[in-house]
Amino acid sequence: MNKENSPNKKQPLQNRRDFLKKSSVVTLAAASGAILLNGCNTVTEKAKTVNIQPTSAKKYQWRMVTTWPPKFPVLGEGLEMMAKWIKDASAGRLDIKVYGAGELIPPLECFDAVRSGGAQIASGVSYYWSGKIPAAQFFAALPFGMNAQQTNAWVMNGGGLKLWEDLYAEYGLVPFAGGNTGVQMGGWFRKELKGLEDLKGLKMRMPGLGGKVLAKTGATAVLVPATELYTNLERGVIDATEWIGPYHDYNMGFYNVAKYYYYPGWHEPGPMLELFANQKAFNELPLDLREILRSASSRLAMWTLGEFEAKNNTYLQKLVKEKGVQLRKYPDEIMQTLKKYSKEVVNELANKDARTKKIFASYDKFRQDIIEWSKVTEQAFYRDIQG
């Protein structure tokens, strides 16, 4: 850590503060015109079909609450960009103000805030609401489940969105796909993992179903806020943590207190981020504004995954080559055991109630089908073409 104390380098804590406060000035890309205009063309055709009245000039001001720190890189930045896209495309008729976690409400109160009408829209990950809606987790990520490309295909083209909308409608909400991080990293460990025995008694920050799987190995899954992750890892309150991927992990400074960086992120191989709007507020918008909102969320989803892909390898190389991080693959024994326990945990979830069982049946059938397709496409690409 001495080299990090050089007067020409920021301290890890300051790096993290800068990172969490980072803001960016983003201009509307030329491509947005095509995307949002396509949305408007669709609206025009629909308008003719239902013979609606000409667009109202009424202006709408919405509040967006999020689970992410203010101006958080990629996730928070994307929401600020999306708000600008919507404002520009609607000529100012729909103006969304984005509030980071803690600015208006605590991060994990977003669901209730939008449901009650305290805010009109929110951004997060659906497994945050698993205590209220267990089935919501299928629209985020399952351990050893589908990756980003496959999840997008199920939600947008395989019937997943209709199931998601029906599920959230019971709570007065309208969900939208809001991006994906891609395959995450497996986590940071203070000590090397040589076998299954090394997980017993280990305290690791891991939320959701992944935490339940981890607990079956004899480890303890701990929930720790993002702001406390570094200090808890540094002081030994936890022995390991997963976060997101190299870009965010680098800026959080985890390499200073844990040198072993494991992959793959079996717990979240393709977590979908979500937006959800208050159903009443959404239905009160004119049809063209609803379609602009949908189009902007689709653009956000594409941009978010692309941004993660663009940055993660650069920062992985910095971690390994500049910070001396030891990149490790999970031992086969551990992966096989985690996969076995993941099936148990997912089946326990799937059998909670009829609604959850129906959603899982759709998810699992699509996953099985797309596995066969991926064998002759994606797997062959990585094995024979990219090689």
Side-chain angles (χ1 to χ4, degrees):
M1 292 179 62
N2 289 339
K3 62 183 177 181
E4 294 304 311
N5 293 330
S6 166
N8 294 322
K9 295 185 178 180
K10 294 182 179 179
Q11 296 296 317
L13 179 58
Q14 186 61 45
N15 281 339
R16 292 193 301 280
R17 286 175 175 167
D18 290 348
F19 182 62
L20 295 174
K21 293 178 180 178
K22 179 184 174 187
S23 61
S24 62
V25 179
V26 183
T27 57
L28 186 65
S32 66
I35 294 174
L36 293 178
L37 282 175
N38 284 338
C40 292
N41 289 338
T42 302
V43 171
T44 303
E45 293 175 5
K46 290 183 178 179
K48 290 178 180 177
T49 301
V50 299
N51 193 29
I52 64 172
Q53 295 299 311
T55 300
S56 168
K58 181 179 178 179
K59 294 184 177 181
Y60 298 82
Q61 292 188 327
W62 275 23
R63 293 180 296 277
M64 175 187 285
V65 291
T66 82
T67 58
W68 324 115
K71 314 295 184 184
F72 194 56
V74 185
L75 305 179
E77 286 175 350
L79 297 174
E80 297 282 355
M81 292 165 61
M82 175 183 165
K84 186 178 187 304
W85 297 336
I86 290 171
K87 186 174 182 179
D88 288 349
S90 67
R93 291 166 48 235
L94 179 54
D95 188 2
I96 300 177
K97 180 171 177 56
V98 179
Y99 293 90
E103 289 188 320
L104 195 60
I105 60 169
L108 299 184
E109 292 183 13
C110 292
F111 186 91
D112 290 331
V114 176
R115 186 181 179 191
S116 67
Q120 290 77 27
I121 192 169
S123 168
V125 187
S126 60
Y127 56 54
Y128 287 149
W129 335 120
S130 61
K132 304 174 188 295
I133 322 176
Q137 295 172 92
F138 292 114
F139 303 103
L142 295 185
F144 291 90
M146 294 191 283
N147 64 15
Q149 182 171 320
Q150 295 167 342
T151 299
N152 284 339
W154 174 60
V155 170
M156 305 310 298
N157 308 93
L161 182 59
K162 179 63 166 58
L163 293 169
W164 196 6
E165 289 176 339
D166 289 347
L167 180 67
Y168 273 39
E170 296 180 11
Y171 298 85
L173 301 171
V174 181
F176 311 88
N180 201 300
T181 68
V183 182
Q184 295 196 357
M185 290 295 287
W188 293 87
F189 291 78
R190 289 161 59 92
K191 295 181 180 180
E192 186 176 8
L193 298 176
K194 296 181 179 178
L196 198 58
E197 286 296 315
D198 293 324
L199 290 181
K200 293 182 179 179
L202 181 130
K203 300 185 295 294
M204 182 173 185
R205 183 268 184 187
M206 183 174 284
L209 294 175
K212 293 183 178 180
V213 173
L214 194 66
K216 284 180 175 283
T217 70
T220 299
V222 182
L223 295 180
V224 179
T227 52
E228 299 174 17
L229 279 177
Y230 183 92
T231 54
N232 280 8
L233 192 59
E234 180 183 38
R235 296 170 183 172
V237 177
I238 56 177
D239 305 304
T241 185
E242 62 80 39
W243 183 223
I244 301 177
Y247 175 49
H248 287 79
D249 292 3
Y250 178 94
N251 284 284
M252 290 290 277
F254 294 138
Y255 56 84
N256 288 296
V257 291
K259 285 297 182 184
Y260 295 99
Y261 198 23
Y262 277 84
Y263 72 94
W266 57 270
H267 60 297
E268 294 187 34
M272 176 168 281
L273 312 173
E274 70 169 2
L275 297 160
F276 54 91
N278 177 279
Q279 192 172 59
K280 183 174 183 294
F282 181 74
N283 290 340
E284 287 175 351
L285 293 177
L287 183 58
D288 66 323
L289 293 187
R290 280 180 260 163
E291 292 300 321
I292 286 173
L293 177 57
R294 290 188 190 280
S295 295
S297 69
S298 293
R299 182 181 176 190
L300 173 67
M302 181 176 290
W303 179 86
T304 300
L305 179 58
E307 186 74 349
F308 275 109
E309 289 293 300
K311 281 189 163 60
N312 274 334
N313 184 61
T314 298
Y315 281 83
L316 178 61
Q317 299 309 314
K318 289 169 72 70
L319 286 167
V320 173
K321 296 177 180 179
E322 297 177 13
K323 305 301 180 183
V325 168
Q326 299 295 306
L327 185 63
R328 293 283 189 272
K329 184 178 183 296
Y330 274 114
D332 290 343
E333 178 190 23
I334 289 180
M335 287 296 287
Q336 290 166 8
T337 302
L338 290 171
K339 191 170 188 178
K340 171 190 169 185
Y341 288 144
S342 291
K343 291 179 180 178
E344 294 179 7
V345 168
V346 170
N347 284 332
E348 289 167 6
L349 170 63
N351 290 312
K352 275 188 175 293
D353 54 64
R355 168 81 76 183
T356 305
K357 192 170 185 177
K358 178 182 178 181
I359 294 173
F360 175 66
S362 172
Y363 178 100
D364 197 49
K365 183 180 184 304
F366 192 89
R367 185 182 70 86
Q368 293 293 343
D369 287 345
I370 208 165
I371 283 175
E372 295 306 311
W373 173 240
S374 70
K375 288 178 181 177
V376 298
T377 55
E378 298 300 311
Q379 290 183 37
F381 171 81
Y382 291 117
R383 183 185 65 243
D384 303 322
I385 300 176
Q386 178 173 274

